[in-house]
Amino acid sequence: MAYFNKDELVTRSRIIESTLQKSGESYYFSESKKLNDFDIFLSHSSADKDAIRGLKEKLEKDFGFSVYVDWINVPQLDRSNVTSATANILKKRMQHSKCLFYATSSNSSKSIWMVIMGK
């Protein structure tokens, strides 16, 4: 089982963010990708945003996986107002990803999605 250091991931995330801001590029991706384009669906607490961005980048750059993170890949999804349409999009992405990573932290138990998926 691989473990990733949260501080390392947050640092990596901040470097990405700084680089993108300087270049004016966007880190977001289009939802128009085929449904089977992702190796990993990364389930996480939104409170761990910085570490998750770093983890996604590490899994993609260092290990060659394609990783789905809802707020990165589909920024227009409103996480504060989850509807059945939002839930259906996420379920479809899970079904069409090769595996599910469950990124746990002290925030996991406070996330409704994490609690549901952990059962």
Side-chain angles (χ1 to χ4, degrees):
M1 180 182 307
Y3 291 94
F4 298 97
N5 179 296
K6 184 176 181 179
D7 291 334
E8 175 191 331
L9 296 174
V10 169
T11 299
R12 191 175 193 140
S13 174
R14 290 187 179 142
I15 291 169
I16 296 165
E17 194 67 28
S18 173
T19 303
L20 292 175
Q21 286 175 353
K22 288 176 187 173
S23 70
E25 293 180 44
S26 174
Y27 190 66
Y28 300 111
F29 300 92
S30 170
E31 180 62 14
S32 65
K33 292 185 87 167
K34 293 179 186 174
L35 288 177
N36 58 354
D37 279 349
F38 295 95
D39 296 313
I40 299 168
F41 182 100
L42 184 53
S43 178
H44 63 284
S45 167
S46 60
D48 297 320
K49 189 175 188 174
D50 285 339
I52 294 304
R53 185 180 303 128
L55 178 57
K56 178 183 186 336
E57 199 262 349
K58 185 168 188 64
L59 291 169
E60 290 178 337
K61 301 283 188 208
D62 295 358
F63 298 100
F65 293 113
S66 58
V67 181
Y68 181 84
V69 175
D70 59 348
W71 55 270
I72 293 174
N73 294 92
V74 191
Q76 63 271 25
L77 284 179
D78 184 2
R79 291 180 65 99
S80 64
N81 182 27
V82 178
T83 64
S84 60
T86 305
N88 286 334
I89 289 170
L90 295 176
K91 286 177 190 175
K92 191 180 291 185
R93 278 295 182 194
M94 281 185 251
Q95 292 168 349
H96 290 277
S97 294
K98 293 178 185 172
C99 68
L100 170 72
F101 274 28
Y102 187 86
T104 61
S105 72
S106 58
N107 296 312
S108 300
S109 63
K110 299 172 198 145
S111 166
I112 294 170
W113 285 99
M114 294 291 288
V115 171
I116 290 170
M117 293 180 77
K119 291 185 176 184

